[in-house]
Amino acid sequence: MSSSVSIETKIAGAVLPSCLYNASGPLCSTEDELHALGKSAAGAILSKSATREKRQGNEEPRYVETPWGSINSMGLPNEGYEYYAAFAEQAAAAYDKPYIMSVSGLSHEDNIHMIKALSGNKNVTAIELNLSCPNVPGKPQTGYDPEQTRYILDKVFEVAEHPVGVKLPPYFDIPHFEAMAEILNAFPLSFVTCINSVGNGLVIDPDRESVVIKPKSGFGGIGGDFVKPTALANVRKFYTLLDEQIAVIGCGGVKSGMDAFEHILCGASAVQVGTQYMREGTNCFARIGRELEEIMSRKGYKDIGSFKGRLKDL
Ligand code: SIN
């Protein structure tokens, strides 16, 4: 590691000592898991997407590893938003890094209620509003509905006191990127996180001739290696389409320093780790950070601003 290289970044006005932190998903649901993130080299602590009430989530098995990544249909198991709001005080007392709360209401009203209730909680650095969970049966992904997205953001910014960002589903068509960017640019968003899992994939076991997860007849969100090109495309497109003050946070297929480097080259200001964090635990943040620093050092980049977004066309 070279001490002359910095992987520090800034999101929502707050300094993150490392641009790498956890995706809201695996291993960020309990106080123990959140403390483990606090003690690790992760640049921020991001909580599991919270609903208004505690939820058990979907039936098991609901998370399966494959050689190229993972499929999950967790269904937002979480302790309820008050639990994560209360953890903010512990996080502020113990750790010198931002604490970001992910919020994923089962209705617009729930989102507004939670965001309003968090007002005044000075220990929450920012809110990541999850508009893209594919795993709650009967609930569509709001991020795929431009008018619903505009509606909820209108309501959120009437009540939000914290910096707010949104976690988006992956988009696959240029007009869809453009339509979403136009809506997102109309609001004082601090960041967008690209991408949530690629929703409603299907992994099967040909020996058992069956699906591998129980909920939704086996349909679930795909993460890991296979989603990296889609994640990079989403980071890149939103980096070029969004106003400068909206930071893009990359998420998808990050298991090495080079993966993180590629996300930043596409325009990411910070990079989240999901499937690999689930596999490796909190050590992944120090290891990926070291690998990223080595790459930067070799290429002569002193900080992430030196190459962020500088992807070249041919
Ligand atoms: C889940 O709990 O189902 C995963 C969260 C998400 O995909 O947003």
Side-chain angles (χ1 to χ4, degrees):
M1 178 195 327
S2 163
S3 56
S4 60
V5 166
S6 165
I7 58 169
E8 182 179 293
T9 193
K10 225 175 181 185
I11 297 291
V15 174
L16 282 64
S18 163
C19 62
L20 299 161
Y21 64 103
N22 66 296
S24 177
L27 307 177
C28 55
S29 296
T30 66
E31 281 191 4
D32 285 353
E33 290 166 347
L34 295 168
H35 276 300
L37 286 164
K39 289 179 193 137
S40 77
I45 305 170
L46 175 58
S47 66
K48 173 71 185 167
S49 289
T51 49
R52 194 163 165 175
E53 310 292 344
K54 179 181 164 111
R55 274 173 67 82
Q56 295 303 323
N58 295 340
E59 270 188 282
E60 306 211 25
R62 58 191 184 181
Y63 186 100
V64 167
E65 287 262 356
T66 73
W68 39 263
S70 62
I71 181 166
N72 90 84
S73 182
M74 302 301 289
L76 298 173
N78 77 95
E79 298 297 322
Y81 82 99
E82 286 169 333
Y83 178 95
Y84 302 106
F87 182 79
E89 199 178 331
Q90 296 185 48
Y95 309 113
D96 202 11
K97 59 177 83 169
Y99 174 62
I100 303 168
M101 259 189 76
S102 171
V103 163
S104 190
L106 298 181
S107 65
H108 293 331
E109 293 68 35
D110 282 2
N111 278 324
I112 304 305
H113 175 92
M114 290 188 280
I115 289 171
K116 211 168 174 177
L118 290 173
S119 301
N121 188 333
K122 300 260 180 301
N123 297 317
V124 172
T125 309
I127 294 170
E128 184 180 88
L129 175 65
N130 183 355
L131 297 180
S132 49
C133 176
N135 301 331
V136 180
K139 299 282 177 194
Q141 291 166 267
T142 305
Y144 282 138
D145 184 331
E147 286 324 307
Q148 289 295 312
T149 300
R150 191 192 297 278
Y151 175 84
I152 184 62
L153 290 179
D154 254 331
K155 299 284 175 209
V156 161
F157 283 105
E158 281 171 15
V159 298
E161 286 185 4
H162 291 93
V164 175
V166 286
K167 185 164 183 182
L168 297 173
Y171 300 93
F172 301 92
D173 201 15
I174 302 302
H176 294 171
F177 285 115
E178 289 168 349
M180 278 310 294
E182 192 187 325
I183 291 168
L184 299 170
N185 277 332
F187 294 95
L189 283 162
S190 296
F191 61 90
V192 300
T193 303
C194 303
I195 56 171
N196 207 323
S197 58
V198 174
N200 296 301
L202 190 60
V203 172
I204 63 168
D205 178 340
D207 294 330
R208 284 189 292 149
E209 301 181 6
S210 78
V211 300
V212 300
I213 56 171
K214 178 129 180 130
K216 292 178 68 178
S217 300
F219 283 67
I222 305 295
D225 298 6
F226 263 21
V227 312
K228 194 176 88 172
T230 297
L232 293 177
N234 277 256
V235 168
R236 185 66 185 162
K237 257 299 164 209
F238 281 113
Y239 178 75
T240 57
L241 291 171
L242 291 178
D243 294 343
E244 212 181 334
Q245 67 273 15
I246 306 179
V248 180
I249 299 174
C251 181
V254 176
K255 58 182 192 186
S256 69
M258 191 56 86
D259 297 324
F261 180 80
E262 291 176 16
H263 270 268
I264 297 165
L265 205 54
C266 287
S269 293
V271 177
Q272 298 179 353
V273 188
T275 297
Q276 186 62 28
Y277 169 42
M278 181 73 173
R279 257 183 211 142
E280 187 178 343
T282 51
N283 286 342
C284 72
F285 302 108
R287 177 188 58 77
I288 298 172
R290 264 193 318 272
E291 291 172 6
L292 177 59
E293 285 173 345
E294 277 162 19
I295 293 162
M296 289 168 61
S297 191
R298 207 168 61 235
K299 287 176 173 274
Y301 295 130
K302 299 229 169 311
D303 52 40
I304 70 165
S306 314
F307 63 99
K308 185 178 90 178
R310 303 230 175 135
L311 182 68
K312 296 179 197 135
D313 284 343
L314 292 181

Short mmCIF file of all heavy atoms in Angstrom, two decimals, residues 123-181:
data_model
loop_
_atom_site.label_atom_id
_atom_site.label_comp_id
_atom_site.label_asym_id
_atom_site.label_seq_id
_atom_site.Cartn_x
_atom_site.Cartn_y
_atom_site.Cartn_z
N ASN A 123 -27.56 11.80 13.85
CA ASN A 123 -26.54 10.76 13.69
C ASN A 123 -26.73 9.93 12.43
O ASN A 123 -25.91 9.07 12.13
CB ASN A 123 -26.53 9.86 14.93
CG ASN A 123 -26.14 10.67 16.15
OD1 ASN A 123 -25.22 11.48 16.10
ND2 ASN A 123 -26.86 10.49 17.25
N VAL A 124 -27.82 10.16 11.73
CA VAL A 124 -27.99 9.54 10.41
C VAL A 124 -27.41 10.52 9.40
O VAL A 124 -27.83 11.67 9.32
CB VAL A 124 -29.49 9.27 10.11
CG1 VAL A 124 -29.67 8.81 8.67
CG2 VAL A 124 -30.05 8.23 11.07
N THR A 125 -26.40 10.06 8.66
CA THR A 125 -25.72 10.96 7.72
C THR A 125 -26.58 11.22 6.48
O THR A 125 -26.64 12.34 5.98
CB THR A 125 -24.39 10.32 7.25
OG1 THR A 125 -23.66 9.91 8.39
CG2 THR A 125 -23.58 11.27 6.41
N ALA A 126 -27.21 10.17 5.99
CA ALA A 126 -27.99 10.28 4.75
C ALA A 126 -28.94 9.10 4.67
O ALA A 126 -28.81 8.12 5.41
CB ALA A 126 -27.06 10.29 3.53
N ILE A 127 -29.89 9.22 3.76
CA ILE A 127 -30.87 8.14 3.54
C ILE A 127 -30.74 7.65 2.11
O ILE A 127 -30.71 8.45 1.16
CB ILE A 127 -32.31 8.66 3.79
CG1 ILE A 127 -32.47 9.03 5.28
CG2 ILE A 127 -33.35 7.63 3.36
CD1 ILE A 127 -33.75 9.78 5.59
N GLU A 128 -30.64 6.32 1.96
CA GLU A 128 -30.69 5.70 0.64
C GLU A 128 -32.09 5.11 0.48
O GLU A 128 -32.42 4.12 1.13
CB GLU A 128 -29.62 4.61 0.49
CG GLU A 128 -29.58 4.01 -0.91
CD GLU A 128 -28.51 2.92 -1.06
OE1 GLU A 128 -28.81 1.74 -0.77
OE2 GLU A 128 -27.37 3.25 -1.46
N LEU A 129 -32.89 5.74 -0.35
CA LEU A 129 -34.26 5.27 -0.57
C LEU A 129 -34.22 4.18 -1.64
O LEU A 129 -33.82 4.43 -2.79
CB LEU A 129 -35.13 6.46 -1.02
CG LEU A 129 -36.57 6.14 -1.41
CD1 LEU A 129 -37.38 5.62 -0.21
CD2 LEU A 129 -37.25 7.40 -1.98
N ASN A 130 -34.62 2.99 -1.23
CA ASN A 130 -34.53 1.83 -2.14
C ASN A 130 -35.78 1.77 -3.00
O ASN A 130 -36.87 1.45 -2.52
CB ASN A 130 -34.38 0.57 -1.27
CG ASN A 130 -34.20 -0.69 -2.08
OD1 ASN A 130 -34.29 -0.66 -3.31
ND2 ASN A 130 -33.96 -1.80 -1.41
N LEU A 131 -35.61 2.06 -4.28
CA LEU A 131 -36.75 2.04 -5.21
C LEU A 131 -36.71 0.80 -6.08
O LEU A 131 -37.30 0.75 -7.15
CB LEU A 131 -36.71 3.29 -6.11
CG LEU A 131 -36.84 4.65 -5.42
CD1 LEU A 131 -36.78 5.78 -6.45
CD2 LEU A 131 -38.14 4.75 -4.61
N SER A 132 -36.01 -0.24 -5.63
CA SER A 132 -35.69 -1.31 -6.58
C SER A 132 -35.65 -2.72 -6.02
O SER A 132 -35.07 -3.59 -6.66
CB SER A 132 -34.33 -0.98 -7.21
OG SER A 132 -33.38 -0.66 -6.20
N CYS A 133 -36.27 -2.97 -4.87
CA CYS A 133 -36.24 -4.35 -4.38
C CYS A 133 -37.16 -5.22 -5.25
O CYS A 133 -38.35 -4.94 -5.36
CB CYS A 133 -36.67 -4.42 -2.92
SG CYS A 133 -36.73 -6.14 -2.35
N PRO A 134 -36.61 -6.27 -5.86
CA PRO A 134 -37.46 -7.09 -6.74
C PRO A 134 -38.15 -8.25 -6.02
O PRO A 134 -38.78 -9.07 -6.67
CB PRO A 134 -36.44 -7.64 -7.75
CG PRO A 134 -35.15 -7.75 -7.00
CD PRO A 134 -35.19 -6.68 -5.92
N ASN A 135 -38.01 -8.32 -4.71
CA ASN A 135 -38.31 -9.59 -4.02
C ASN A 135 -39.53 -9.59 -3.11
O ASN A 135 -39.70 -10.55 -2.36
CB ASN A 135 -37.09 -10.01 -3.19
CG ASN A 135 -35.86 -10.18 -4.04
OD1 ASN A 135 -35.97 -10.52 -5.21
ND2 ASN A 135 -34.69 -9.94 -3.47
N VAL A 136 -40.33 -8.55 -3.13
CA VAL A 136 -41.51 -8.60 -2.27
C VAL A 136 -42.71 -8.97 -3.15
O VAL A 136 -43.11 -8.17 -4.02
CB VAL A 136 -41.75 -7.26 -1.54
CG1 VAL A 136 -42.99 -7.36 -0.66
CG2 VAL A 136 -40.54 -6.89 -0.70
N PRO A 137 -43.22 -10.19 -2.99
CA PRO A 137 -44.31 -10.62 -3.87
C PRO A 137 -45.44 -9.60 -3.91
O PRO A 137 -45.85 -9.07 -2.87
CB PRO A 137 -44.77 -11.94 -3.23
CG PRO A 137 -43.55 -12.46 -2.50
CD PRO A 137 -42.85 -11.22 -2.00
N GLY A 138 -45.86 -9.28 -5.12
CA GLY A 138 -46.99 -8.34 -5.28
C GLY A 138 -46.58 -6.88 -5.27
O GLY A 138 -47.42 -6.01 -5.51
N LYS A 139 -45.31 -6.58 -5.00
CA LYS A 139 -44.87 -5.17 -4.97
C LYS A 139 -43.92 -4.91 -6.15
O LYS A 139 -42.83 -5.49 -6.22
CB LYS A 139 -44.11 -4.85 -3.67
CG LYS A 139 -44.92 -5.03 -2.41
CD LYS A 139 -45.88 -3.87 -2.20
CE LYS A 139 -46.72 -4.12 -0.97
NZ LYS A 139 -47.86 -3.23 -0.88
N PRO A 140 -44.33 -4.04 -7.07
CA PRO A 140 -43.45 -3.75 -8.21
C PRO A 140 -42.24 -2.91 -7.80
O PRO A 140 -42.25 -2.30 -6.73
CB PRO A 140 -44.36 -2.98 -9.16
CG PRO A 140 -45.42 -2.40 -8.31
CD PRO A 140 -45.57 -3.27 -7.09
N GLN A 141 -41.24 -2.89 -8.66
CA GLN A 141 -40.06 -2.05 -8.40
C GLN A 141 -40.39 -0.64 -8.88
O GLN A 141 -40.51 -0.39 -10.08
CB GLN A 141 -38.85 -2.60 -9.16
CG GLN A 141 -38.35 -3.93 -8.63
CD GLN A 141 -37.39 -4.60 -9.60
OE1 GLN A 141 -37.77 -5.41 -10.43
NE2 GLN A 141 -36.12 -4.27 -9.49
N THR A 142 -40.49 0.28 -7.91
CA THR A 142 -40.90 1.66 -8.23
C THR A 142 -39.98 2.28 -9.29
O THR A 142 -40.43 3.05 -10.13
CB THR A 142 -40.88 2.51 -6.95
OG1 THR A 142 -41.71 1.87 -5.99
CG2 THR A 142 -41.37 3.92 -7.19
N GLY A 143 -38.71 1.92 -9.24
CA GLY A 143 -37.75 2.53 -10.17
C GLY A 143 -38.03 2.21 -11.63
O GLY A 143 -37.46 2.84 -12.52
N TYR A 144 -38.89 1.23 -11.89
CA TYR A 144 -39.26 0.94 -13.28
C TYR A 144 -40.51 1.69 -13.72
O TYR A 144 -40.99 1.50 -14.83
CB TYR A 144 -39.47 -0.57 -13.47
CG TYR A 144 -38.16 -1.34 -13.59
CD1 TYR A 144 -37.99 -2.56 -12.95
CD2 TYR A 144 -37.11 -0.86 -14.37
CE1 TYR A 144 -36.80 -3.27 -13.05
CE2 TYR A 144 -35.92 -1.55 -14.48
CZ TYR A 144 -35.76 -2.76 -13.82
OH TYR A 144 -34.59 -3.45 -13.94
N ASP A 145 -41.03 2.52 -12.82
CA ASP A 145 -42.24 3.29 -13.15
C ASP A 145 -41.92 4.78 -12.98
O ASP A 145 -41.93 5.31 -11.87
CB ASP A 145 -43.37 2.86 -12.19
CG ASP A 145 -44.69 3.53 -12.53
OD1 ASP A 145 -44.66 4.67 -13.07
OD2 ASP A 145 -45.73 2.93 -12.25
N PRO A 146 -41.62 5.47 -14.09
CA PRO A 146 -41.17 6.86 -13.99
C PRO A 146 -42.16 7.75 -13.22
O PRO A 146 -41.74 8.57 -12.41
CB PRO A 146 -41.04 7.30 -15.44
CG PRO A 146 -40.91 6.05 -16.23
CD PRO A 146 -41.61 4.97 -15.47
N GLU A 147 -43.44 7.58 -13.46
CA GLU A 147 -44.39 8.49 -12.81
C GLU A 147 -44.48 8.23 -11.31
O GLU A 147 -44.59 9.16 -10.51
CB GLU A 147 -45.76 8.42 -13.49
CG GLU A 147 -45.78 9.12 -14.84
CD GLU A 147 -44.91 10.41 -14.88
OE1 GLU A 147 -45.08 11.29 -14.02
OE2 GLU A 147 -44.04 10.52 -15.76
N GLN A 148 -44.40 6.95 -10.91
CA GLN A 148 -44.39 6.63 -9.48
C GLN A 148 -43.11 7.16 -8.83
O GLN A 148 -43.11 7.61 -7.69
CB GLN A 148 -44.49 5.11 -9.27
CG GLN A 148 -45.84 4.54 -9.61
CD GLN A 148 -46.93 5.06 -8.67
OE1 GLN A 148 -46.78 5.06 -7.47
NE2 GLN A 148 -48.02 5.53 -9.26
N THR A 149 -42.02 7.09 -9.57
CA THR A 149 -40.74 7.60 -9.05
C THR A 149 -40.84 9.11 -8.83
O THR A 149 -40.46 9.63 -7.77
CB THR A 149 -39.59 7.29 -10.04
OG1 THR A 149 -39.52 5.87 -10.18
CG2 THR A 149 -38.26 7.81 -9.54
N ARG A 150 -41.41 9.80 -9.79
CA ARG A 150 -41.56 11.26 -9.65
C ARG A 150 -42.48 11.57 -8.45
O ARG A 150 -42.19 12.45 -7.64
CB ARG A 150 -42.17 11.86 -10.93
CG ARG A 150 -42.12 13.36 -10.98
CD ARG A 150 -42.97 13.92 -12.11
NE ARG A 150 -42.54 13.53 -13.44
CZ ARG A 150 -41.57 14.13 -14.12
NH1 ARG A 150 -40.91 15.13 -13.58
NH2 ARG A 150 -41.26 13.73 -15.34
N TYR A 151 -43.54 10.81 -8.33
CA TYR A 151 -44.51 11.03 -7.25
C TYR A 151 -43.85 10.86 -5.88
O TYR A 151 -43.95 11.73 -5.01
CB TYR A 151 -45.68 10.04 -7.41
CG TYR A 151 -46.68 10.12 -6.28
CD1 TYR A 151 -47.70 11.07 -6.30
CD2 TYR A 151 -46.59 9.25 -5.19
CE1 TYR A 151 -48.60 11.16 -5.25
CE2 TYR A 151 -47.49 9.34 -4.14
CZ TYR A 151 -48.48 10.29 -4.17
OH TYR A 151 -49.36 10.38 -3.13
N ILE A 152 -43.12 9.76 -5.72
CA ILE A 152 -42.54 9.51 -4.39
C ILE A 152 -41.44 10.54 -4.09
O ILE A 152 -41.33 11.03 -2.96
CB ILE A 152 -42.05 8.05 -4.22
CG1 ILE A 152 -41.53 7.78 -2.80
CG2 ILE A 152 -40.98 7.64 -5.21
CD1 ILE A 152 -42.54 7.93 -1.72
N LEU A 153 -40.67 10.91 -5.10
CA LEU A 153 -39.61 11.90 -4.84
C LEU A 153 -40.21 13.27 -4.49
O LEU A 153 -39.70 13.97 -3.60
CB LEU A 153 -38.65 11.99 -6.01
CG LEU A 153 -37.76 10.75 -6.20
CD1 LEU A 153 -36.84 10.91 -7.41
CD2 LEU A 153 -36.92 10.47 -4.95
N ASP A 154 -41.28 13.62 -5.15
CA ASP A 154 -42.00 14.86 -4.79
C ASP A 154 -42.36 14.87 -3.32
O ASP A 154 -42.11 15.83 -2.60
CB ASP A 154 -43.31 14.93 -5.60
CG ASP A 154 -43.23 15.94 -6.70
OD1 ASP A 154 -42.49 16.92 -6.56
OD2 ASP A 154 -43.92 15.73 -7.73
N LYS A 155 -42.94 13.76 -2.87
CA LYS A 155 -43.41 13.66 -1.48
C LYS A 155 -42.21 13.61 -0.52
O LYS A 155 -42.25 14.23 0.55
CB LYS A 155 -44.25 12.39 -1.28
CG LYS A 155 -45.49 12.36 -2.13
CD LYS A 155 -46.53 13.28 -1.55
CE LYS A 155 -47.74 13.37 -2.44
NZ LYS A 155 -48.45 14.63 -2.37
N VAL A 156 -41.19 12.87 -0.89
CA VAL A 156 -40.02 12.72 -0.02
C VAL A 156 -39.37 14.07 0.23
O VAL A 156 -39.04 14.42 1.38
CB VAL A 156 -39.00 11.72 -0.64
CG1 VAL A 156 -37.61 11.88 -0.02
CG2 VAL A 156 -39.50 10.30 -0.47
N PHE A 157 -39.21 14.85 -0.83
CA PHE A 157 -38.50 16.12 -0.63
C PHE A 157 -39.37 17.20 0.03
O PHE A 157 -38.87 18.24 0.41
CB PHE A 157 -37.85 16.58 -1.94
CG PHE A 157 -36.58 15.81 -2.22
CD1 PHE A 157 -36.55 14.82 -3.19
CD2 PHE A 157 -35.45 16.02 -1.45
CE1 PHE A 157 -35.40 14.07 -3.42
CE2 PHE A 157 -34.28 15.27 -1.66
CZ PHE A 157 -34.26 14.30 -2.65
N GLU A 158 -40.64 16.89 0.22
CA GLU A 158 -41.46 17.79 1.06
C GLU A 158 -41.11 17.60 2.54
O GLU A 158 -41.29 18.50 3.34
CB GLU A 158 -42.96 17.48 0.88
CG GLU A 158 -43.54 18.07 -0.39
CD GLU A 158 -44.97 17.57 -0.65
OE1 GLU A 158 -45.60 17.01 0.27
OE2 GLU A 158 -45.42 17.73 -1.80
N VAL A 159 -40.63 16.40 2.89
CA VAL A 159 -40.44 16.12 4.33
C VAL A 159 -38.98 15.85 4.74
O VAL A 159 -38.66 15.94 5.92
CB VAL A 159 -41.30 14.90 4.79
CG1 VAL A 159 -42.78 15.18 4.60
CG2 VAL A 159 -40.90 13.61 4.08
N ALA A 160 -38.13 15.52 3.77
CA ALA A 160 -36.78 15.05 4.14
C ALA A 160 -35.93 16.17 4.71
O ALA A 160 -35.87 17.27 4.15
CB ALA A 160 -36.09 14.46 2.92
N GLU A 161 -35.27 15.89 5.83
CA GLU A 161 -34.29 16.83 6.38
C GLU A 161 -32.88 16.35 6.11
O GLU A 161 -31.92 17.10 6.24
CB GLU A 161 -34.50 16.97 7.90
CG GLU A 161 -35.73 17.79 8.22
CD GLU A 161 -35.88 18.05 9.71
OE1 GLU A 161 -34.99 17.66 10.51
OE2 GLU A 161 -36.92 18.63 10.07
N HIS A 162 -32.75 15.06 5.80
CA HIS A 162 -31.42 14.48 5.53
C HIS A 162 -31.12 14.55 4.03
O HIS A 162 -32.04 14.61 3.22
CB HIS A 162 -31.40 13.01 5.93
CG HIS A 162 -31.48 12.78 7.40
ND1 HIS A 162 -32.68 12.57 8.05
CD2 HIS A 162 -30.53 12.73 8.36
CE1 HIS A 162 -32.45 12.41 9.34
NE2 HIS A 162 -31.15 12.51 9.56
N PRO A 163 -29.84 14.47 3.68
CA PRO A 163 -29.52 14.22 2.28
C PRO A 163 -30.14 12.87 1.86
O PRO A 163 -30.10 11.92 2.64
CB PRO A 163 -27.99 14.12 2.26
CG PRO A 163 -27.53 14.78 3.53
CD PRO A 163 -28.64 14.59 4.52
N VAL A 164 -30.72 12.84 0.68
CA VAL A 164 -31.39 11.62 0.21
C VAL A 164 -30.79 11.19 -1.13
O VAL A 164 -30.55 12.02 -2.01
CB VAL A 164 -32.91 11.86 0.04
CG1 VAL A 164 -33.60 10.63 -0.57
CG2 VAL A 164 -33.57 12.20 1.38
N GLY A 165 -30.57 9.89 -1.25
CA GLY A 165 -30.20 9.30 -2.53
C GLY A 165 -31.17 8.17 -2.83
O GLY A 165 -31.96 7.77 -1.97
N VAL A 166 -31.11 7.65 -4.05
CA VAL A 166 -32.00 6.53 -4.39
C VAL A 166 -31.19 5.35 -4.90
O VAL A 166 -30.18 5.52 -5.60
CB VAL A 166 -33.05 6.91 -5.46
CG1 VAL A 166 -34.13 7.79 -4.87
CG2 VAL A 166 -32.43 7.57 -6.67
N LYS A 167 -31.65 4.15 -4.56
CA LYS A 167 -31.05 2.95 -5.13
C LYS A 167 -31.93 2.49 -6.28
O LYS A 167 -33.13 2.25 -6.10
CB LYS A 167 -30.92 1.85 -4.08
CG LYS A 167 -30.17 0.63 -4.64
CD LYS A 167 -29.71 -0.27 -3.54
CE LYS A 167 -28.90 -1.44 -4.07
NZ LYS A 167 -28.51 -2.35 -2.99
N LEU A 168 -31.32 2.41 -7.45
CA LEU A 168 -32.07 2.16 -8.67
C LEU A 168 -31.93 0.72 -9.14
O LEU A 168 -30.89 0.08 -8.91
CB LEU A 168 -31.54 3.09 -9.78
CG LEU A 168 -31.70 4.59 -9.53
CD1 LEU A 168 -30.97 5.37 -10.63
CD2 LEU A 168 -33.18 4.98 -9.50
N PRO A 169 -32.94 0.26 -9.87
CA PRO A 169 -32.77 -1.03 -10.53
C PRO A 169 -31.92 -0.82 -11.78
O PRO A 169 -31.72 0.32 -12.21
CB PRO A 169 -34.22 -1.38 -10.93
CG PRO A 169 -34.87 -0.06 -11.17
CD PRO A 169 -34.22 0.91 -10.21
N PRO A 170 -31.43 -1.89 -12.39
CA PRO A 170 -30.69 -1.71 -13.64
C PRO A 170 -31.63 -1.36 -14.79
O PRO A 170 -32.74 -1.87 -14.87
CB PRO A 170 -30.07 -3.10 -13.88
CG PRO A 170 -30.95 -4.05 -13.14
CD PRO A 170 -31.50 -3.30 -11.96
N TYR A 171 -31.17 -0.48 -15.66
CA TYR A 171 -31.91 -0.17 -16.89
C TYR A 171 -31.11 -0.73 -18.05
O TYR A 171 -29.89 -0.89 -17.98
CB TYR A 171 -32.11 1.34 -17.03
CG TYR A 171 -32.88 1.92 -15.87
CD1 TYR A 171 -32.21 2.45 -14.77
CD2 TYR A 171 -34.27 1.88 -15.84
CE1 TYR A 171 -32.90 2.94 -13.67
CE2 TYR A 171 -34.97 2.37 -14.74
CZ TYR A 171 -34.28 2.90 -13.66
OH TYR A 171 -34.97 3.37 -12.58
N PHE A 172 -31.84 -0.99 -19.16
CA PHE A 172 -31.21 -1.70 -20.27
C PHE A 172 -31.42 -1.00 -21.61
O PHE A 172 -30.95 -1.49 -22.62
CB PHE A 172 -31.77 -3.13 -20.35
CG PHE A 172 -31.54 -3.93 -19.10
CD1 PHE A 172 -32.49 -3.96 -18.09
CD2 PHE A 172 -30.34 -4.62 -18.90
CE1 PHE A 172 -32.27 -4.67 -16.92
CE2 PHE A 172 -30.12 -5.34 -17.74
CZ PHE A 172 -31.08 -5.37 -16.74
N ASP A 173 -32.15 0.10 -21.59
CA ASP A 173 -32.47 0.74 -22.87
C ASP A 173 -32.21 2.24 -22.73
O ASP A 173 -32.56 2.84 -21.71
CB ASP A 173 -33.95 0.47 -23.21
CG ASP A 173 -34.22 0.63 -24.69
OD1 ASP A 173 -33.25 0.68 -25.48
OD2 ASP A 173 -35.41 0.74 -25.06
N ILE A 174 -31.61 2.82 -23.73
CA ILE A 174 -31.18 4.22 -23.62
C ILE A 174 -32.35 5.18 -23.31
O ILE A 174 -32.23 6.03 -22.43
CB ILE A 174 -30.41 4.67 -24.91
CG1 ILE A 174 -29.19 3.76 -25.15
CG2 ILE A 174 -30.00 6.14 -24.83
CD1 ILE A 174 -28.17 3.70 -24.03
N PRO A 175 -33.51 5.02 -23.97
CA PRO A 175 -34.62 5.93 -23.62
C PRO A 175 -35.04 5.79 -22.15
O PRO A 175 -35.50 6.77 -21.55
CB PRO A 175 -35.76 5.49 -24.55
CG PRO A 175 -35.08 4.82 -25.69
CD PRO A 175 -33.84 4.18 -25.14
N HIS A 176 -34.87 4.62 -21.58
CA HIS A 176 -35.23 4.46 -20.16
C HIS A 176 -34.24 5.22 -19.27
O HIS A 176 -34.63 5.84 -18.29
CB HIS A 176 -35.26 2.98 -19.78
CG HIS A 176 -36.35 2.21 -20.48
ND1 HIS A 176 -36.45 0.84 -20.42
CD2 HIS A 176 -37.39 2.63 -21.26
CE1 HIS A 176 -37.51 0.45 -21.12
NE2 HIS A 176 -38.08 1.51 -21.64
N PHE A 177 -32.95 5.14 -19.61
CA PHE A 177 -31.95 5.94 -18.86
C PHE A 177 -32.32 7.42 -18.93
O PHE A 177 -32.29 8.14 -17.94
CB PHE A 177 -30.56 5.78 -19.46
CG PHE A 177 -29.86 4.48 -19.17
CD1 PHE A 177 -29.57 3.57 -20.19
CD2 PHE A 177 -29.45 4.16 -17.89
CE1 PHE A 177 -28.91 2.39 -19.93
CE2 PHE A 177 -28.78 2.97 -17.62
CZ PHE A 177 -28.51 2.08 -18.64
N GLU A 178 -32.65 7.85 -20.15
CA GLU A 178 -32.91 9.29 -20.34
C GLU A 178 -34.15 9.74 -19.59
O GLU A 178 -34.17 10.80 -18.96
CB GLU A 178 -33.02 9.60 -21.85
CG GLU A 178 -31.66 9.47 -22.52
CD GLU A 178 -31.71 9.48 -24.05
OE1 GLU A 178 -32.82 9.36 -24.63
OE2 GLU A 178 -30.62 9.56 -24.65
N ALA A 179 -35.18 8.91 -19.64
CA ALA A 179 -36.44 9.27 -18.95
C ALA A 179 -36.20 9.35 -17.44
O ALA A 179 -36.67 10.28 -16.76
CB ALA A 179 -37.52 8.25 -19.27
N MET A 180 -35.46 8.39 -16.91
CA MET A 180 -35.20 8.40 -15.46
C MET A 180 -34.33 9.58 -15.08
O MET A 180 -34.55 10.25 -14.07
CB MET A 180 -34.52 7.10 -15.02
CG MET A 180 -35.46 5.95 -14.80
SD MET A 180 -36.85 6.33 -13.73
CE MET A 180 -36.04 6.61 -12.19
N ALA A 181 -33.30 9.83 -15.87
CA ALA A 181 -32.37 10.93 -15.55
C ALA A 181 -33.10 12.26 -15.53
O ALA A 181 -32.85 13.11 -14.66
CB ALA A 181 -31.22 10.96 -16.55
#
